[in-house]
Amino acid sequence: MNHNNSMAIYWRRISKNKMAAIGAFIVLFIVIIALLAPVISPYEPDAQDLYSSLNGPSKEHWFGTDIYGRDILSRVIWGARISLSISSLAVFLSILIGVFLGAIAAYFGGVLDEIIMRFFDILLSFPDILLAIAIIAILGSGRSNLITAITIYSIPQFARIARSTVVSEKTKEYVDAARLSGESEMNILFRYVLPNSLSPIIVQGTLRIGYAILIISGLGFLGLGIQPPAAEWGTDLSIARTYLRAAPHTGIFPGIAIFITVMGFNFFGDGLNEILNPRMKDR
Amino acid sequence: MERILEVKDLKIQFDTEEGTVYALENVSFHLNKGEILGIIGETGSGKSVTASAINRILPVPPARIVNGEIIFQGKDVLQYKREEMNRIRGKKISMIFQEPMTALNPVFKIKEQMSDVIMHHQKINRKKAVKQATEMLEQVRIPDPEMVLDKYPHELSGGMRQRVMIATALSCEADLLIADEPTTALDVTTQDQILALIQDMRKNLDISVILITHDFGVVAEICDTVAVMYGGSVVEFTDIYTLTKKPYHPYSNGLLKAIPPVDQTIEKLNTIPGSVPNLLKPPPGCRFHPRCENALEKCKIDPPSLTEIEENHFIACYNPIKGGEDNE
Amino acid sequence: MNNTILKTQDLRKEFQVRVGFLQKERKITAVDNVNLNILQSETIGLVGESGCGKTTLGRILAGLLSPTSGRFFYKEKEITEIGKKKNKQIRREIQMVFQDPFSSLNPRMTVSDILSRPLKVFKIGKNAKERTNMVLETLESVGMKSEHMSRYPHEFSGGQRQRIAVARSLIVNPDFIILDEPTSALDVSVQAQILNLLLDIKNNFQLTMLLITHDLSVARFQCDRIAVMYMGRIVEISDKEALFNSPAHPYTRILLTSIPRTDPAQRREKAVSTGEVPSLLNPPSGCYFAPRCPLKMDICERSAPELKRVNKHQTCACFAVENKR
């Protein structure tokens, strides 16, 4: 078996696993849309046209228009950009911090482990959305505070996963072998143990991006997230609520966008889990 | 002599996501009533697949039986329906494994597990079954059976657990016992006791045994006949005395000489170059030819079949060791 | 020639174990006051059954575990912590080869990385090119080829992986190598290759080796002297030929006769050994082997015998053997 071959096996597993393939397709699709938003969106997302307010889907406006006459398709496209960028940045930051702290706690153990993990246990005892609301209530709304809030409540999740994988990985013989090769403990942790502990973290990261998108929309819906006129699915949904009877399309399209995106990340994450840890299913 | 089991030209493949695994090919051997047959081989030799095929516990798919017969007490096991096989398994053929912990349920006491098996096969009540379990444990020389019956599997040592497994397997009065590496997880002193036990059981209960192992010493200690497997094929099959004295197949010979002896100090070990074949892409012809000193052109193209070269001495080789090298 | 390279004095290692849920932690003694001298350029075997403490002792000597009490000296210098900075030289000189070649190599490093990392860390070799040459040379000395350098561990068979592991321990030019069951995860035909290789290496590099094994025939092939362990204690240390020809300790005798021979003509009628190894949680008083010992005397249940010299070639911890003399 050579390396190309094992990549080929991964690829075969992805294409065999229908859920993973669908998830990967959705995620890829949304990422492309978000990247190409300025090019593909037919209108400016915040261009108002009060004469064509609350129009249904038509040739000019495929998804119709909202109360201010803004093109909903364009807003959904730009919304992807905001949701994805905030959620992935927040998840990325929480992986950096959470994995670092969790790995250190696991690897060195003892009092350090107790202090770090007990603190995270306290954080974990709050429901995610409540914690996020509390943080935003303190810091105020806005994009960077939103990222901070999501990062803070996500850190303990990654710390826990990193801790459990590092605890099992650090007992492998290659770690002892590295010690005999004179490597320092920090080097062993970051060059040897962590790279071998990444697959569950990647899986969790994917699932967490989906979840973060849901939280962003939720906060937007409550008026605590991204503030109008920026295009954000949850915020738009909240505005649409008032006119849902007269113009249901104003809510349906952002809603579908949230649904598909979150589902895509969940399928992809679950699929990745089966691909990277195939034993869970095979045996 | 009565043949209890005969395996004829068995060929099995596995369909995996990496491709087809050519697990067994040219597997033939037989076992007489009351004898112990050793199947010896290294990693990937197919010895465990063979055992599972006899007991029909191979998962099908991914396994696929391409060819062959497994005649047990005059009938082909492969032709049995699932329910018929379930009746035979445990009742006529029992099996014990390398790690008894995986075969025992950790949440039930030994008493419950053993009597469940006995009740399943004999339709007697719990009280009688427990009594019989006690007798079986005495038979496998467990000094205090009542105490052992009252324990959970994890409270017993590895050797003790293997005795419990043997006792359970024997309680169904099976005719054939398949032991898959029964002593591999045990220390030598415990292994010694278990091997002696298997031999005693054979004598007292008139049971036939297939012992699967990677250890030539184990085979030499208790087996009557032996089948040497390599890369999914039986390469030599004869009685144990002939095999250790006069092996014909270059692999059997090489394997015997690669074992460091206990009784003398030697300077250098005989080695077989290379390593065992990958059964996803087995070499064409004889699967041993890339590592064989005696290989001919023919060996690279056409796999040799198992033929009787002397009375009761079967080999699959075009160019065997001349006259059988005398190992004395 | 007969200089002591490594010496232990009453080395002891205890572990705390929790037996069951809500139960108090209990202490087991994995290595029980071990005194062992290892001579320059010899291969000494450490044999015993699973759980006898042989691997724990090996890991202490490699500096991977610290002893609970006792001292050990390497080249007449007392070692407290091999991992400490000032002991970097010693860290390089004592290397270890592990049992399982599937977990002892980092799956995410190429062979070339695995072998060149220790060179970098110990600052051996002037530049990358010199280090690459050293990697190549070492790989060749264990029977591997240059084209293997850029591959990952999973691309190799067990035997090849163990060769790579041996190369990793050799590349830093050590004086003392601890081999922890180096062939027990391998097939017989591959084991023979590795055993021959280890013997060649020992002769070519003038190394001192400690071979930990449960397999007495491997020890006979490889070692000059053999120490037999039972429940954390060394019960016999003998020169190889003496140990196999006239084992002193009754446990050694049972161990030797329990090994199945590959010649069916040497079959025995009955199993020689009786009973099982007692649990380290409730060790018997006195000599740990007494409950299974055919030579047991009254004193054996009261006090533990110490290693005493039996003859020029053998030392043994047994009252019965002492009495006979």
Side-chain angles (χ1 to χ4, degrees):
Chain A
M1 232 205 306
N2 59 38
H3 220 56
N4 288 335
N5 209 336
S6 62
M7 282 307 290
I9 288 170
Y10 281 144
W11 184 243
R12 217 172 306 149
R13 281 196 199 137
I14 292 188
S15 42
K16 252 192 175 173
N17 186 328
K18 273 189 200 127
M19 297 271 275
I22 294 172
F25 177 77
I26 294 174
V27 167
L28 198 70
F29 179 71
I30 290 166
V31 168
I32 289 172
I33 282 184
L35 286 175
L36 296 181
V39 185
I40 56 170
S41 76
Y43 299 88
E44 287 297 314
D46 46 6
Q48 299 191 358
D49 178 6
L50 292 171
Y51 293 107
S52 47
S53 147
L54 292 180
N55 280 353
S58 65
K59 232 190 236 160
E60 289 80 36
H61 300 283
W62 289 3
F63 287 4
T65 56
D66 68 3
I67 181 73
Y68 304 111
R70 298 178 296 196
D71 179 50
I72 292 179
L73 175 61
S74 301
R75 290 190 68 77
V76 167
I77 290 173
W78 280 88
R81 201 169 216 214
I82 285 191
S83 292
L84 266 191
S85 61
I86 292 179
S87 61
S88 45
L89 187 62
V91 168
F92 178 73
L93 286 176
S94 46
I95 287 180
L96 276 191
I97 303 167
V99 169
F100 178 81
L101 290 174
I104 287 199
Y107 192 76
F108 295 103
V111 184
L112 193 67
D113 186 18
E114 287 294 320
I115 294 172
I116 294 176
M117 294 324 286
R118 287 302 82 77
F119 175 70
F120 285 149
D121 282 349
I122 295 170
L123 278 186
L124 277 170
S125 64
F126 296 103
D128 292 349
I129 187 100
L130 272 189
L131 193 60
I133 289 174
I135 294 166
I136 285 180
I138 297 166
L139 299 176
S141 62
R143 187 186 282 237
S144 56
N145 292 342
L146 188 57
I147 292 175
T148 313
I150 295 172
T151 305
I152 288 177
Y153 81 68
S154 300
I155 287 174
Q157 308 277 355
F158 289 105
R160 270 198 163 181
I161 289 165
R163 184 179 179 277
S164 68
T165 45
V166 167
V167 158
S168 77
E169 200 68 24
K170 75 170 182 179
T171 59
K172 298 242 172 101
E173 281 179 343
Y174 70 82
V175 173
D176 282 332
R179 274 189 197 119
L180 294 176
S181 301
E183 298 276 17
S184 68
E185 294 298 319
M186 274 299 185
N187 249 345
I188 294 175
L189 174 54
F190 289 105
R191 270 173 185 266
Y192 291 74
V193 176
L194 257 191
N196 283 299
S197 312
L198 283 182
S199 65
I201 294 166
I202 291 170
V203 170
Q204 187 65 16
T206 315
L207 294 170
R208 280 271 138 188
I209 288 179
Y211 190 60
I213 289 173
L214 206 57
I215 295 277
I216 294 167
S217 309
L219 290 172
F221 190 81
L222 296 173
L224 295 166
I226 298 299
Q227 297 302 311
E232 197 279 315
W233 297 335
T235 316
D236 283 6
L237 207 57
S238 162
I239 297 169
R241 194 181 39 165
T242 324
Y243 318 100
L244 211 51
R245 215 163 253 222
H249 67 272
T250 54
I252 285 173
F253 289 109
I256 288 177
I258 296 170
F259 172 72
I260 288 181
T261 311
V262 174
M263 187 185 71
F265 275 100
N266 275 333
F267 279 12
F268 187 51
D270 285 343
L272 271 185
N273 191 29
E274 275 166 28
I275 289 156
L276 297 173
N277 313 311
R279 234 164 278 163
M280 290 179 65
K281 203 184 166 191
D282 287 357
R283 302 275 149 98
Chain B
M1 249 205 238
E2 190 191 335
R3 271 190 194 173
I4 185 165
L5 179 80
E6 180 156 17
V7 175
K8 284 187 198 160
D9 214 13
L10 193 62
K11 182 173 180 175
I12 292 179
Q13 298 176 352
F14 288 88
D15 299 313
T16 69
E17 58 180 27
E18 276 120 297
T20 304
V21 176
Y22 299 88
L24 291 189
E25 208 161 289
N26 260 326
V27 172
S28 304
F29 54 82
H30 56 79
L31 170 63
N32 291 328
K33 195 163 185 296
E35 286 191 345
I36 303 181
L37 162 72
I39 300 182
I40 185 164
E42 301 179 286
T43 315
S45 63
K47 53 190 192 299
S48 288
V49 176
T50 307
S52 310
I54 295 170
N55 207 7
R56 286 266 305 269
I57 52 172
L58 273 185
V60 182
R64 189 151 43 81
I65 293 159
V66 182
N67 188 17
E69 292 172 289
I70 299 173
I71 315 270
F72 173 68
Q73 292 179 333
K75 279 189 190 143
D76 188 355
V77 166
L78 298 176
Q79 304 303 324
Y80 281 123
K81 292 204 184 70
R82 186 187 290 267
E83 310 83 65
E84 289 175 307
M85 196 59 221
N86 283 345
R87 244 174 288 139
I88 286 172
R89 204 182 293 125
K91 182 92 188 150
K92 301 225 158 155
I93 305 178
S94 276
M95 192 154 176
I96 56 175
F97 299 91
Q98 174 175 343
E99 191 24 88
M101 205 53 204
T102 55
L104 290 167
N105 189 334
V107 300
F108 292 110
K109 287 182 175 173
I110 300 294
K111 189 193 320 197
E112 285 145 40
Q113 304 198 40
M114 280 191 75
S115 53
D116 274 352
V117 173
I118 294 170
M119 282 157 68
H120 176 75
H121 287 290
Q122 299 189 10
K123 312 267 175 281
I124 52 176
N125 63 27
R126 173 78 65 181
K127 212 173 152 195
K128 276 190 182 148
V130 171
K131 190 161 170 280
Q132 200 179 333
T134 320
E135 286 165 17
M136 290 318 295
L137 289 183
E138 267 164 13
Q139 282 223 27
V140 296
R141 297 203 212 101
I142 287 179
D144 193 350
E146 275 88 13
M147 193 188 73
V148 169
L149 280 173
D150 219 27
K151 294 208 158 158
Y152 292 97
H154 71 266
E155 296 176 297
L156 301 174
S157 69
M160 223 30 132
R161 283 200 287 265
Q162 200 56 286
R163 275 168 216 261
V164 168
M165 281 315 293
I166 293 174
T168 313
L170 296 176
S171 66
C172 336
E173 291 162 358
D175 299 320
L176 175 64
L177 174 71
I178 302 174
D180 191 353
E181 303 264 11
T183 60
T184 304
L186 306 175
D187 285 319
V188 273
T189 54
T190 318
Q191 162 171 293
D192 194 40
Q193 298 166 18
I194 298 289
L195 291 181
L197 180 66
I198 292 178
Q199 204 159 21
D200 271 13
M201 293 298 119
R202 180 266 299 260
K203 272 187 208 134
N204 301 343
L205 301 175
D206 197 27
I207 194 170
S208 315
V209 182
I210 295 179
L211 184 86
I212 288 150
T213 179
H214 67 282
D215 187 339
F216 233 123
V218 169
V219 171
E221 190 68 40
I222 66 167
C223 292
D224 301 301
T225 55
V226 54
V228 182
M229 289 191 75
Y230 180 83
S233 304
V234 171
V235 296
E236 188 155 7
F237 172 55
T238 184
D239 72 278
I240 182 69
Y241 288 90
T242 311
L243 186 89
T244 47
K245 273 217 180 92
K246 267 172 58 175
Y248 276 119
H249 198 283
Y251 175 67
S252 323
N253 185 51
L255 192 61
L256 260 169
K257 289 189 170 165
I259 303 164
V262 203
D263 294 325
Q264 69 192 82
T265 305
I266 55 166
E267 290 296 310
K268 197 127 197 111
L269 286 168
N270 180 60
T271 62
I272 305 174
S275 53
V276 295
N278 176 357
L279 294 183
L280 276 166
K281 277 178 254 150
C286 171
R287 287 182 179 180
F288 185 60
H289 88 256
R291 302 176 71 187
C292 183
E293 286 174 350
N294 282 17
L296 308 171
E297 271 312 302
K298 195 180 176 189
C299 304
K300 297 175 190 168
I301 307 154
D302 195 15
S305 54
L306 200 64
T307 43
E308 192 163 10
I309 184 168
E310 281 168 10
E311 201 193 346
N312 283 326
H313 194 160
F314 300 81
I315 57 163
C317 184
Y318 294 123
N319 191 15
I321 293 165
K322 290 270 149 39
E325 210 166 288
D326 210 324
N327 270 351
E328 286 284 301
Chain C
M1 191 55 189
N2 272 354
N3 292 336
T4 300
I5 185 169
L6 193 143
K7 184 179 169 179
T8 74
Q9 220 172 62
D10 294 330
L11 212 56
R12 187 180 182 85
K13 180 71 188 177
E14 290 163 4
F15 290 108
Q16 303 289 329
V17 290
R18 203 183 289 274
V19 185
F21 186 61
L22 289 180
Q23 283 197 348
K24 251 189 21 206
E25 279 198 345
R26 288 161 77 182
K27 193 177 71 182
I28 61 166
T29 307
V31 172
D32 194 350
N33 293 3
V34 163
N35 292 299
L36 185 66
N37 278 350
I38 298 175
L39 308 177
Q40 185 83 48
S41 305
E42 76 167 341
T43 301
I44 183 162
L46 195 56
V47 303
E49 299 181 284
S50 56
C52 73
K54 54 190 192 299
T55 294
T56 308
L57 181 55
R59 291 169 60 86
I60 293 173
L61 299 184
L64 295 172
L65 273 179
S66 38
T68 311
S69 66
R71 308 157 76 183
F72 84 93
F73 302 86
Y74 176 72
K75 292 186 174 169
E76 294 180 346
K77 212 172 120 190
E78 176 158 13
I79 310 298
T80 41
E81 287 253 334
I82 295 187
K84 291 256 171 70
K85 268 240 166 67
K86 61 168 184 170
N87 289 328
K88 201 149 188 189
Q89 190 61 18
I90 294 167
R91 166 64 93 203
R92 180 185 65 74
E93 286 182 19
I94 303 179
Q95 288 295 319
M96 186 160 176
V97 174
F98 298 90
Q99 171 175 4
D100 178 8
F102 287 88
S103 91
S104 71
L105 302 175
N106 186 347
R108 292 190 190 251
M109 282 190 174
T110 61
V111 171
S112 142
D113 287 339
I114 288 170
L115 295 185
S116 56
R117 271 307 293 177
L119 293 179
K120 258 186 229 162
V121 174
F122 288 119
K123 303 196 174 63
I124 306 171
K126 281 200 270 308
N127 49 36
K129 202 174 159 226
E130 205 178 303
R131 286 196 279 267
T132 309
N133 283 336
M134 293 168 87
V135 168
L136 254 175
E137 239 172 67
T138 315
L139 269 183
E140 274 163 16
S141 73
V142 298
M144 302 283 288
K145 298 192 192 97
S146 58
E147 71 240 38
H148 293 139
M149 279 182 55
S150 57
R151 299 204 194 148
Y152 287 87
H154 71 262
E155 300 172 46
F156 296 99
S157 67
Q160 286 173 312
R161 285 164 152 256
Q162 202 57 301
R163 284 171 196 270
I164 296 166
V166 170
R168 174 180 54 200
S169 69
L170 283 179
I171 199 160
V172 293
N173 195 20
D175 291 343
F176 178 49
I177 294 192
I178 297 161
L179 304 152
D180 184 7
E181 302 267 12
T183 59
S184 66
L186 305 175
D187 280 322
V188 177
S189 67
V190 180
Q191 160 172 294
Q193 298 168 14
I194 300 292
L195 290 179
N196 281 342
L197 172 73
L198 290 174
L199 208 58
D200 285 349
I201 284 170
K202 193 219 151 187
N203 294 330
N204 295 343
F205 292 76
Q206 291 296 310
L207 289 167
T208 309
M209 286 182 171
L210 174 74
L211 176 74
I212 298 168
T213 180
H214 69 281
D215 188 336
L216 273 163
S217 43
V218 167
R220 173 158 211 172
F221 177 72
Q222 202 86 30
C223 303
D224 306 311
R225 282 197 307 149
I226 290 167
V228 181
M229 274 184 97
Y230 185 75
M231 291 181 73
R233 295 174 177 169
I234 291 185
V235 297
E236 176 170 358
I237 306 178
S238 294
D239 291 350
K240 169 169 64 182
E241 296 302 326
L243 184 113
F244 282 95
N245 295 330
S246 59
H249 198 280
Y251 175 62
T252 316
R253 259 176 258 169
I254 285 179
L255 209 53
L256 265 177
T257 36
S258 297
I259 303 169
R261 305 301 200 264
T262 51
D263 181 2
Q266 290 186 35
R267 276 183 197 181
R268 291 148 299 126
E269 269 305 296
K270 277 262 175 285
V272 276
S273 68
T274 49
E276 298 200 328
V277 186
S279 160
L280 280 170
L281 283 166
N282 304 305
S285 58
C287 173
Y288 287 169
F289 190 61
R292 299 172 71 188
C293 184
L295 307 178
K296 188 179 79 176
M297 305 181 300
D298 287 344
I299 185 175
C300 303
E301 286 176 347
R302 277 179 275 119
S303 62
E306 285 182 12
L307 272 178
K308 295 231 168 90
R309 188 151 286 284
V310 179
N311 57 42
K312 198 166 156 250
H313 304 285
Q314 292 174 284
T315 52
C316 171
C318 177
F319 291 122
V321 173
E322 262 175 60
N323 266 8
K324 249 196 318 203
R325 283 176 59 228

